[in-house]
Amino acid sequence: MNGNSSYETSWADQWDNGPDPVYDYQNRKSSDNTSSAAKYKQKVGEGLGKTKAVASTGMKKVKEGTITGFHWIKDKYHKSTHKR
């Protein structure tokens, strides 16, 4: 297999025969960038709040399950020691 040199077309050029997209930096609005940053910050904050709630609920379930397991073991131990 031949390596790509600067004179050959790449795999992407073979499938995409359109011009490369050009971004116009001069017509970009600075306020658009600020509002999008605030929007993403809000979404990340909402996501962290949900994650915190899920983690808290999960820890409560683990704690309840652990307590239940210890009580079950304790009950089994006491039942077996009282039979002797």
Side-chain angles (χ1 to χ4, degrees):
M1 197 180 240
N2 293 337
N4 286 342
S5 69
S6 61
Y7 300 109
E8 296 177 353
T9 57
S10 70
W11 179 86
D13 291 334
Q14 292 175 6
W15 292 100
D16 180 23
N17 57 4
D20 290 339
V22 178
Y23 187 73
D24 187 9
Y25 290 102
Q26 294 174 347
N27 290 334
R28 190 178 87 190
K29 295 180 183 178
S30 62
S31 64
D32 183 39
N33 189 19
T34 305
S35 65
S36 65
K39 187 175 13 175
Y40 288 121
K41 184 177 180 180
Q42 179 185 5
K43 288 199 179 270
V44 168
E46 290 171 1
L48 290 176
K50 290 177 185 177
T51 303
K52 190 176 178 181
V54 168
S56 175
T57 303
M59 288 304 297
K60 287 177 185 176
K61 288 181 179 182
V62 168
K63 183 179 176 183
E64 290 172 6
T66 304
I67 290 170
T68 304
F70 280 126
H71 284 297
W72 181 83
I73 292 171
K74 183 180 170 184
D75 290 342
K76 290 292 181 183
Y77 176 76
H78 284 298
K79 286 180 184 178
S80 67
T81 57
H82 290 297
K83 288 183 180 180
R84 291 183 187 179

